[in-house]
mmCIF file of all heavy atoms in Angstrom:
data_model
loop_
_atom_site.group_PDB
_atom_site.id
_atom_site.type_symbol
_atom_site.label_atom_id
_atom_site.label_comp_id
_atom_site.label_asym_id
_atom_site.label_seq_id
_atom_site.Cartn_x
_atom_site.Cartn_y
_atom_site.Cartn_z
ATOM 1 N N LYS S 113 14.711 7.675 1.267
ATOM 2 C CA LYS S 113 15.204 9.095 1.727
ATOM 3 C C LYS S 113 15.683 9.129 3.110
ATOM 4 O O LYS S 113 16.552 9.907 3.433
ATOM 5 C CB LYS S 113 13.919 10.086 1.493
ATOM 6 C CG LYS S 113 13.749 10.376 0.028
ATOM 7 C CD LYS S 113 12.544 11.335 -0.143
ATOM 8 C CE LYS S 113 12.901 12.665 0.295
ATOM 9 N NZ LYS S 113 11.690 13.580 0.255
ATOM 10 N N ALA S 114 14.975 8.380 4.051
ATOM 11 C CA ALA S 114 15.419 8.331 5.385
ATOM 12 C C ALA S 114 16.827 7.661 5.522
ATOM 13 O O ALA S 114 17.666 8.261 6.195
ATOM 14 C CB ALA S 114 14.404 7.525 6.180
ATOM 15 N N ILE S 115 17.012 6.567 4.886
ATOM 16 C CA ILE S 115 18.348 5.886 4.826
ATOM 17 C C ILE S 115 19.386 6.841 4.261
ATOM 18 O O ILE S 115 20.436 7.057 4.951
ATOM 19 C CB ILE S 115 18.309 4.677 3.919
ATOM 20 C CG1 ILE S 115 17.293 3.654 4.479
ATOM 21 C CG2 ILE S 115 19.716 4.033 3.777
ATOM 22 C CD1 ILE S 115 17.019 2.519 3.468
ATOM 23 N N GLU S 116 19.119 7.511 3.205
ATOM 24 C CA GLU S 116 20.061 8.336 2.507
ATOM 25 C C GLU S 116 20.380 9.581 3.288
ATOM 26 O O GLU S 116 21.539 10.155 3.337
ATOM 27 C CB GLU S 116 19.690 8.665 1.023
ATOM 28 C CG GLU S 116 19.756 7.471 0.222
ATOM 29 C CD GLU S 116 18.966 7.559 -1.031
ATOM 30 O OE1 GLU S 116 18.199 8.483 -1.268
ATOM 31 O OE2 GLU S 116 19.006 6.518 -1.865
ATOM 32 N N ASP S 117 19.340 10.067 4.042
ATOM 33 C CA ASP S 117 19.566 11.298 4.924
ATOM 34 C C ASP S 117 20.455 10.787 6.101
ATOM 35 O O ASP S 117 21.474 11.537 6.450
ATOM 36 C CB ASP S 117 18.176 11.749 5.413
ATOM 37 C CG ASP S 117 18.267 12.969 6.295
ATOM 38 O OD1 ASP S 117 19.277 13.809 6.066
ATOM 39 O OD2 ASP S 117 17.415 13.160 7.161
ATOM 40 N N ALA S 118 20.180 9.672 6.649
ATOM 41 C CA ALA S 118 20.956 9.246 7.840
ATOM 42 C C ALA S 118 22.377 8.894 7.450
ATOM 43 O O ALA S 118 23.260 9.269 8.282
ATOM 44 C CB ALA S 118 20.363 7.934 8.396
ATOM 45 N N MET S 119 22.700 8.438 6.256
ATOM 46 C CA MET S 119 24.050 8.022 5.886
ATOM 47 C C MET S 119 24.716 9.001 4.900
ATOM 48 O O MET S 119 25.724 8.657 4.397
ATOM 49 C CB MET S 119 23.999 6.576 5.242
ATOM 50 C CG MET S 119 23.253 5.572 6.050
ATOM 51 S SD MET S 119 23.198 3.976 5.405
ATOM 52 C CE MET S 119 24.652 3.229 6.104
ATOM 53 N N SER S 120 24.186 10.218 4.812
ATOM 54 C CA SER S 120 24.734 11.232 3.907
ATOM 55 C C SER S 120 25.058 10.708 2.528
ATOM 56 O O SER S 120 26.094 10.879 2.003
ATOM 57 C CB SER S 120 25.970 11.831 4.540
ATOM 58 O OG SER S 120 25.751 12.165 5.870
ATOM 59 N N ILE S 121 23.955 10.098 1.916
ATOM 60 C CA ILE S 121 24.122 9.587 0.605
ATOM 61 C C ILE S 121 23.427 10.629 -0.312
ATOM 62 O O ILE S 121 22.226 10.849 -0.161
ATOM 63 C CB ILE S 121 23.499 8.257 0.332
ATOM 64 C CG1 ILE S 121 24.143 7.123 1.331
ATOM 65 C CG2 ILE S 121 23.601 7.790 -1.103
ATOM 66 C CD1 ILE S 121 23.428 5.851 1.268
ATOM 67 N N LYS S 122 24.180 11.129 -1.379
ATOM 68 C CA LYS S 122 23.533 11.979 -2.257
ATOM 69 C C LYS S 122 23.417 11.155 -3.686
ATOM 70 O O LYS S 122 24.339 10.669 -4.201
ATOM 71 C CB LYS S 122 24.458 13.236 -2.548
ATOM 72 C CG LYS S 122 23.634 14.484 -2.930
ATOM 73 C CD LYS S 122 24.498 15.670 -2.886
ATOM 74 C CE LYS S 122 24.126 16.758 -3.805
ATOM 75 N NZ LYS S 122 22.676 16.722 -4.403
ATOM 76 N N ILE S 123 22.134 11.197 -4.158
ATOM 77 C CA ILE S 123 21.941 10.410 -5.357
ATOM 78 C C ILE S 123 22.096 11.289 -6.567
ATOM 79 O O ILE S 123 21.884 12.556 -6.448
ATOM 80 C CB ILE S 123 20.593 9.626 -5.327
ATOM 81 C CG1 ILE S 123 19.362 10.562 -5.345
ATOM 82 C CG2 ILE S 123 20.529 8.764 -4.081
ATOM 83 C CD1 ILE S 123 18.045 9.819 -5.691
ATOM 84 N N SER S 124 22.198 10.657 -7.748
ATOM 85 C CA SER S 124 22.302 11.482 -8.980
ATOM 86 C C SER S 124 21.090 12.218 -9.455
ATOM 87 O O SER S 124 20.028 11.775 -9.023
ATOM 88 C CB SER S 124 22.829 10.635 -10.175
ATOM 89 O OG SER S 124 21.799 9.788 -10.579
ATOM 90 N N ARG S 125 21.205 13.065 -10.292
ATOM 91 C CA ARG S 125 20.006 13.817 -10.888
ATOM 92 C C ARG S 125 19.157 12.792 -11.598
ATOM 93 O O ARG S 125 17.968 12.864 -11.496
ATOM 94 C CB ARG S 125 20.531 14.929 -11.775
ATOM 95 C CG ARG S 125 19.527 15.592 -12.666
ATOM 96 C CD ARG S 125 19.543 17.162 -12.475
ATOM 97 N NE ARG S 125 18.484 17.754 -13.253
ATOM 98 C CZ ARG S 125 17.298 17.964 -12.924
ATOM 99 N NH1 ARG S 125 16.867 17.609 -11.658
ATOM 100 N NH2 ARG S 125 16.375 18.524 -13.727
ATOM 101 N N GLN S 126 19.917 11.942 -12.351
ATOM 102 C CA GLN S 126 19.103 10.974 -13.158
ATOM 103 C C GLN S 126 18.304 10.058 -12.287
ATOM 104 O O GLN S 126 17.071 9.789 -12.580
ATOM 105 C CB GLN S 126 20.021 10.101 -14.043
ATOM 106 C CG GLN S 126 19.409 9.012 -14.778
ATOM 107 C CD GLN S 126 20.405 8.226 -15.718
ATOM 108 O OE1 GLN S 126 21.060 8.857 -16.491
ATOM 109 N NE2 GLN S 126 20.459 6.933 -15.522
ATOM 110 N N ALA S 127 18.921 9.691 -11.147
ATOM 111 C CA ALA S 127 18.161 8.760 -10.225
ATOM 112 C C ALA S 127 17.010 9.412 -9.647
ATOM 113 O O ALA S 127 15.852 8.814 -9.536
ATOM 114 C CB ALA S 127 19.137 8.242 -9.165
ATOM 115 N N THR S 128 17.041 10.783 -9.296
ATOM 116 C CA THR S 128 15.976 11.514 -8.724
ATOM 117 C C THR S 128 14.902 11.553 -9.795
ATOM 118 O O THR S 128 13.707 11.390 -9.416
ATOM 119 C CB THR S 128 16.429 12.879 -8.350
ATOM 120 O OG1 THR S 128 17.599 12.895 -7.502
ATOM 121 C CG2 THR S 128 15.348 13.640 -7.643
ATOM 122 N N LEU S 129 15.206 11.859 -11.037
ATOM 123 C CA LEU S 129 14.204 11.994 -12.056
ATOM 124 C C LEU S 129 13.440 10.655 -12.284
ATOM 125 O O LEU S 129 12.155 10.566 -12.348
ATOM 126 C CB LEU S 129 14.868 12.445 -13.411
ATOM 127 C CG LEU S 129 15.321 13.866 -13.456
ATOM 128 C CD1 LEU S 129 16.025 14.165 -14.660
ATOM 129 C CD2 LEU S 129 14.168 14.971 -13.220
ATOM 130 N N LEU S 130 14.189 9.601 -12.248
ATOM 131 C CA LEU S 130 13.617 8.338 -12.394
ATOM 132 C C LEU S 130 12.741 7.855 -11.309
ATOM 133 O O LEU S 130 11.610 7.313 -11.455
ATOM 134 C CB LEU S 130 14.613 7.173 -12.615
ATOM 135 C CG LEU S 130 15.278 7.060 -14.026
ATOM 136 C CD1 LEU S 130 16.604 6.267 -13.923
ATOM 137 C CD2 LEU S 130 14.424 6.706 -15.107
ATOM 138 N N ARG S 131 13.085 8.221 -9.980
ATOM 139 C CA ARG S 131 12.308 7.935 -8.929
ATOM 140 C C ARG S 131 11.015 8.779 -8.881
ATOM 141 O O ARG S 131 9.969 8.286 -8.601
ATOM 142 C CB ARG S 131 13.048 8.323 -7.592
ATOM 143 C CG ARG S 131 14.128 7.214 -7.165
ATOM 144 C CD ARG S 131 14.643 7.595 -5.773
ATOM 145 N NE ARG S 131 15.767 6.764 -5.450
ATOM 146 C CZ ARG S 131 16.542 6.968 -4.336
ATOM 147 N NH1 ARG S 131 16.051 7.886 -3.503
ATOM 148 N NH2 ARG S 131 17.511 6.166 -4.034
ATOM 149 N N LYS S 132 11.140 9.992 -9.322
ATOM 150 C CA LYS S 132 9.930 10.790 -9.480
ATOM 151 C C LYS S 132 8.945 10.282 -10.504
ATOM 152 O O LYS S 132 7.689 10.282 -10.327
ATOM 153 C CB LYS S 132 10.238 12.273 -9.790
ATOM 154 C CG LYS S 132 10.871 12.987 -8.685
ATOM 155 C CD LYS S 132 11.196 14.519 -8.949
ATOM 156 C CE LYS S 132 11.630 15.320 -7.823
ATOM 157 N NZ LYS S 132 11.953 16.662 -8.139
ATOM 158 N N LEU S 133 9.520 9.754 -11.582
ATOM 159 C CA LEU S 133 8.711 9.142 -12.637
ATOM 160 C C LEU S 133 7.912 7.779 -12.131
ATOM 161 O O LEU S 133 6.782 7.729 -12.262
ATOM 162 C CB LEU S 133 9.548 8.816 -13.784
ATOM 163 C CG LEU S 133 8.941 8.249 -15.083
ATOM 164 C CD1 LEU S 133 7.790 9.261 -15.576
ATOM 165 C CD2 LEU S 133 9.929 8.092 -16.119
ATOM 166 N N ALA S 134 8.615 7.043 -11.294
ATOM 167 C CA ALA S 134 8.032 5.906 -10.698
ATOM 168 C C ALA S 134 6.886 6.372 -9.751
ATOM 169 O O ALA S 134 5.781 5.703 -9.638
ATOM 170 C CB ALA S 134 8.950 5.078 -9.992
ATOM 171 N N PHE S 135 7.176 7.385 -9.067
ATOM 172 C CA PHE S 135 6.204 8.013 -8.060
ATOM 173 C C PHE S 135 4.908 8.364 -8.792
ATOM 174 O O PHE S 135 3.849 8.083 -8.256
ATOM 175 C CB PHE S 135 6.872 9.239 -7.386
ATOM 176 C CG PHE S 135 6.415 9.346 -6.070
ATOM 177 C CD1 PHE S 135 7.207 8.762 -5.031
ATOM 178 C CD2 PHE S 135 5.408 10.180 -5.675
ATOM 179 C CE1 PHE S 135 6.811 8.840 -3.686
ATOM 180 C CE2 PHE S 135 4.972 10.336 -4.361
ATOM 181 C CZ PHE S 135 5.690 9.646 -3.313
ATOM 182 N N HIS S 136 5.031 8.977 -9.928
ATOM 183 C CA HIS S 136 3.804 9.389 -10.771
ATOM 184 C C HIS S 136 3.072 8.039 -11.108
ATOM 185 O O HIS S 136 1.876 8.070 -11.170
ATOM 186 C CB HIS S 136 4.129 10.145 -12.017
ATOM 187 C CG HIS S 136 4.538 11.682 -11.728
ATOM 188 N ND1 HIS S 136 3.966 12.368 -10.772
ATOM 189 C CD2 HIS S 136 5.427 12.404 -12.212
ATOM 190 C CE1 HIS S 136 4.390 13.485 -10.720
ATOM 191 N NE2 HIS S 136 5.337 13.614 -11.667
ATOM 192 N N GLY S 137 3.868 7.028 -11.525
ATOM 193 C CA GLY S 137 3.152 5.762 -11.862
ATOM 194 C C GLY S 137 2.251 5.228 -10.708
ATOM 195 O O GLY S 137 1.137 4.914 -10.820
ATOM 196 N N GLU S 138 2.849 5.409 -9.504
ATOM 197 C CA GLU S 138 2.095 4.853 -8.333
ATOM 198 C C GLU S 138 0.852 5.684 -8.055
ATOM 199 O O GLU S 138 -0.176 5.313 -7.724
ATOM 200 C CB GLU S 138 2.973 4.847 -7.027
ATOM 201 C CG GLU S 138 2.130 4.528 -5.826
ATOM 202 C CD GLU S 138 2.920 3.998 -4.728
ATOM 203 O OE1 GLU S 138 3.315 2.795 -4.794
ATOM 204 O OE2 GLU S 138 3.158 4.675 -3.671
ATOM 205 N N MET S 139 1.076 7.084 -8.117
ATOM 206 C CA MET S 139 0.011 7.982 -7.778
ATOM 207 C C MET S 139 -1.231 7.673 -8.765
ATOM 208 O O MET S 139 -2.360 7.630 -8.434
ATOM 209 C CB MET S 139 0.532 9.348 -8.110
ATOM 210 C CG MET S 139 -0.302 10.501 -7.327
ATOM 211 S SD MET S 139 -0.368 10.442 -5.502
ATOM 212 C CE MET S 139 1.426 10.690 -5.037
ATOM 213 N N LEU S 140 -0.787 7.536 -10.134
ATOM 214 C CA LEU S 140 -1.867 7.326 -11.105
ATOM 215 C C LEU S 140 -2.539 6.015 -10.876
ATOM 216 O O LEU S 140 -3.751 5.921 -10.899
ATOM 217 C CB LEU S 140 -1.223 7.253 -12.459
ATOM 218 C CG LEU S 140 -0.895 8.717 -13.108
ATOM 219 C CD1 LEU S 140 0.017 8.483 -14.326
ATOM 220 C CD2 LEU S 140 -2.243 9.383 -13.493
ATOM 221 N N GLN S 141 -1.767 4.963 -10.580
ATOM 222 C CA GLN S 141 -2.334 3.634 -10.370
ATOM 223 C C GLN S 141 -3.239 3.574 -9.185
ATOM 224 O O GLN S 141 -4.354 3.179 -9.221
ATOM 225 C CB GLN S 141 -1.192 2.607 -10.240
ATOM 226 C CG GLN S 141 -1.193 1.706 -9.032
ATOM 227 C CD GLN S 141 -2.118 0.573 -9.261
ATOM 228 O OE1 GLN S 141 -2.413 0.078 -10.313
ATOM 229 N NE2 GLN S 141 -2.678 0.068 -8.087
ATOM 230 N N SER S 142 -2.902 4.307 -8.095
ATOM 231 C CA SER S 142 -3.693 4.359 -6.893
ATOM 232 C C SER S 142 -4.981 5.074 -7.172
ATOM 233 O O SER S 142 -6.041 4.721 -6.724
ATOM 234 C CB SER S 142 -2.919 4.964 -5.808
ATOM 235 O OG SER S 142 -3.658 4.991 -4.553
ATOM 236 N N HIS S 143 -4.823 6.292 -7.761
ATOM 237 C CA HIS S 143 -5.992 7.179 -7.944
ATOM 238 C C HIS S 143 -7.006 6.464 -8.918
ATOM 239 O O HIS S 143 -8.186 6.527 -8.624
ATOM 240 C CB HIS S 143 -5.554 8.509 -8.588
ATOM 241 C CG HIS S 143 -4.931 9.475 -7.588
ATOM 242 N ND1 HIS S 143 -4.876 9.175 -6.178
ATOM 243 C CD2 HIS S 143 -4.418 10.684 -7.665
ATOM 244 C CE1 HIS S 143 -4.185 10.162 -5.607
ATOM 245 N NE2 HIS S 143 -3.955 11.099 -6.432
#
Side-chain angles (χ1 to χ4, degrees):
Chain S
K113 287 180 69 185
I115 296 165
E116 288 160 358
D117 185 29
M119 306 182 95
S120 312
I121 301 173
K122 207 169 153 19
I123 69 166
S124 73
R125 169 126 181 90
Q126 174 176 306
T128 308
L129 292 174
L130 286 168
R131 283 191 191 174
K132 285 183 176 175
L133 186 53
F135 215 86
H136 283 324
E138 168 157 293
M139 201 62 66
L140 282 166
Q141 128 81 28
S142 177
H143 286 354

